[in-house]
Amino acid sequence: MYLVESKGGAIGCMLIALVFLGTWPAILAYLERRGRLPQHTYLDYSITNLLTAVVIALTVGQIGRDKPDIPNFITQLLSDGCKLVIYPKDFSVLICFVRKSRTDEIDFLDDNWPCILIAMAGGVFLSLGNLSTQYAWAFVGLSVTEVITSSIAVVLGTTLNYFLDDRINRAEILFPGVGCFLVAVCLGSAVHSSNAADNEKKLDLENGTHKEEKAKVGSAHHLIELENKRAIKVFGKSIWLGLSITFFAGVCYSLFSPTFNLATNNQWHMMKRGTPNLVVYAAFFYFSLSFFVIAVILNVWFLYRPVLNLPKSSLTSYLKDWKGRNWAFLAGVLCGLGNGLQFMGGQAAGYAAADCVQALPLVSTFWGVLCFGEYWRSSKRTYVLLVSMLFMFIVAVAVLIASSGHRKVYSR
């Protein structure tokens, strides 16, 4: 199993993860703006997200020989007793955790089960967070949504990770960085409010005037065209609805990294003495598995009982909808790679420092402005707030990276 052991390698993983995690939201937002139902997109995205985690575990997680306290992925998976049972009659699948005792009886709880369940809880939190942001993008915009959710994740999640990591990060550097993210939250809300006011003025000016033959990006006519194309209709909706969804997603994001930290480092000593900690790749597998299960359950439900006045769909319609599916698959791969690299870097340099990947709005804002015309033809006030927000993000990322520590022991 390959482990990142140097601070430089950990920072490299974080920076690559930052690019990947900032790009996949832009892809999903692009598909929603082209009218594809978010339920269809999220189901596709979840499939490749899980497959990416499996590929990482079976390749990088299998490099080198096993060690007594750091087993390879498959060795630990088998020792955990992960058993896949397929029933031939209805092709249903059951995954259970079993262990044979000396009397060859089946025990459904292995020594690692507390940490396995915690890793799976982290996957649930991330799945709920990602699902919420998919709807928040339509109301708040890609840039501001990512800023607010990421900032909340850093303010809450980084503080939890600092104490869980036995304070290996330098507090005098780390927490000023957290403060910068907190300022970014306030600026993000102000940017959204200012931009919403700009859009209302554009629409008011559009009334009673002739329409342009070709809508200019950022113009009122462009906003109307976008509303007619997109899957989620936002005109007439309260800005507080979008912000509420965004803040809920941020709280979910703040919990997934600390739970993964607990799963891999066992700070609460929940396993029997002498039992190896969950390696990063095994924890990532269970994490991604629960992410996938929650995504499938909720989105199949939303197919038949949609939210936010979206049209109803069905599994048959989903399977036939190939428009944009390749992009949704790509988004799942990028998210899976980004999460895997974040966890690999966090295990080496501390998960508090790894939260620097929450600067993904720097990448998302780039895509939002370049591809979606966000903030085009807005007021000077909006531009000032936007630049200030991004500046605070850059400072925060630099400070968090500077606080990186070095975890010398991977298991107890």
Side-chain angles (χ1 to χ4, degrees):
M1 177 182 64
Y2 173 75
L3 289 174
V4 178
E5 299 186 76
S6 68
K7 183 186 290 188
I11 293 174
C13 287
M14 296 174 199
L15 293 177
I16 297 172
L18 170 62
V19 176
F20 289 161
L21 293 176
T23 299
W24 73 261
I27 296 175
L28 265 60
Y30 167 81
L31 294 176
E32 185 276 323
R33 285 169 172 250
R34 295 303 182 273
R36 194 167 198 251
L37 290 179
Q39 306 98 305
H40 294 187
T41 298
Y42 204 86
L43 284 170
D44 291 336
Y45 153 85
S46 302
I47 292 171
T48 50
N49 182 72
L50 174 61
L51 291 177
T52 301
V54 173
V55 170
I56 290 174
L58 292 176
T59 53
V60 186
Q62 285 297 116
I63 294 175
R65 295 182 178 180
D66 286 303
K67 296 180 181 179
D69 57 341
I70 311 177
N72 284 341
F73 167 68
I74 292 180
T75 301
Q76 187 161 69
L77 190 69
L78 294 176
S79 68
D80 291 340
C82 179
K83 186 175 182 180
L84 183 66
V85 182
I86 302 178
Y87 295 94
K89 289 184 178 180
D90 55 358
F91 298 100
S92 59
V93 177
L94 172 66
I95 296 176
C96 58
F97 305 103
V98 299
R99 172 171 60 88
K100 286 189 177 181
S101 66
R102 292 181 181 178
T103 58
D104 291 331
E105 294 178 354
I106 298 296
D107 182 357
F108 282 87
L109 296 180
D110 190 79
D111 293 340
N112 277 338
W113 73 267
C115 289
I116 290 173
L117 292 179
I118 289 178
M120 297 182 79
V124 172
F125 287 131
L126 182 60
S127 188
L128 291 175
N130 286 354
L131 180 61
S132 300
T133 56
Q134 189 179 22
Y135 292 95
W137 294 327
F139 292 93
V140 185
L142 177 64
S143 305
V144 175
T145 298
E146 297 304 314
V147 167
I148 295 177
T149 55
S150 296
S151 299
I152 294 174
V154 167
V155 172
L156 299 179
T158 302
T159 302
L160 291 173
N161 277 323
Y162 170 74
F163 291 103
L164 289 173
D165 281 333
D166 198 24
R167 306 180 184 184
I168 65 174
N169 300 98
R170 299 172 61 185
E172 68 275 13
I173 298 178
L174 178 70
F175 286 105
V178 172
C180 292
F181 273 98
L182 184 59
V183 173
V185 172
C186 300
L187 289 173
S189 298
V191 169
H192 171 62
S193 178
S194 179
N195 194 52
D198 293 341
N199 289 340
E200 286 183 9
K201 290 180 180 178
K202 293 174 188 176
L203 293 171
D204 289 340
L205 291 173
E206 176 70 14
N207 293 332
T209 63
H210 69 281
K211 293 185 178 181
E212 305 165 22
E213 293 182 1
K214 184 177 181 180
K216 294 182 179 179
V217 176
S219 66
H221 190 30
H222 174 261
L223 295 174
I224 295 171
E225 283 188 348
L226 174 60
E227 178 73 3
N228 293 333
K229 290 179 181 178
R230 72 186 321 156
I232 303 174
K233 307 302 181 184
V234 299
F235 280 6
K237 301 287 196 311
S238 170
I239 63 171
W240 295 109
L241 174 61
L243 288 175
S244 298
I245 297 173
T246 303
F247 276 94
F248 171 77
V251 173
C252 291
Y253 283 150
S254 70
L255 297 175
F256 86 84
S257 178
T259 52
F260 194 92
N261 191 348
L262 277 171
T264 53
N265 294 299
N266 191 31
Q267 291 93 335
W268 290 351
H269 307 292
M270 296 172 290
M271 298 189 297
K272 293 181 181 179
R273 196 168 192 82
T275 303
N277 288 348
L278 276 182
V279 297
V280 171
Y281 305 102
F284 187 36
F285 169 76
Y286 294 120
F287 175 93
S288 301
L289 181 63
S290 64
F291 178 105
F292 174 76
V293 170
I294 293 299
V296 170
I297 292 173
L298 290 179
N299 282 281
V300 169
W301 174 268
F302 289 156
L303 288 176
Y304 298 94
R305 295 180 180 273
V307 296
L308 300 176
N309 299 319
L310 283 164
K312 287 186 178 181
S313 185
S314 65
L315 281 173
T316 302
S317 298
Y318 159 68
L319 293 173
K320 292 180 179 179
D321 182 12
W322 284 90
K323 185 178 180 180
R325 176 160 285 165
N326 56 329
W327 286 106
F329 284 160
L330 175 60
V333 172
L334 292 175
C335 183
L337 289 173
N339 288 332
L341 289 168
Q342 176 186 355
F343 296 145
M344 290 166 63
Q347 187 66 7
Y351 287 96
D355 284 335
C356 73
V357 302
Q358 295 299 336
L360 58 93
L362 291 172
V363 181
S364 296
T365 300
F366 169 79
W367 292 119
V369 173
L370 181 66
C371 300
F372 307 144
E374 290 187 354
Y375 307 115
W376 283 44
R377 295 178 174 80
S378 292
S379 64
K380 290 183 179 180
R381 180 175 183 273
T382 298
Y383 289 140
V384 170
L385 289 170
L386 179 63
V387 171
S388 301
M389 177 187 73
L390 295 176
F391 174 75
M392 291 306 300
F393 250 109
I394 294 171
V395 172
V397 172
V399 172
L400 285 188
I401 289 178
S403 75
S404 296
H406 184 251
R407 195 189 308 275
K408 297 181 180 180
V409 180
Y410 283 84
S411 63
R412 56 184 175 82

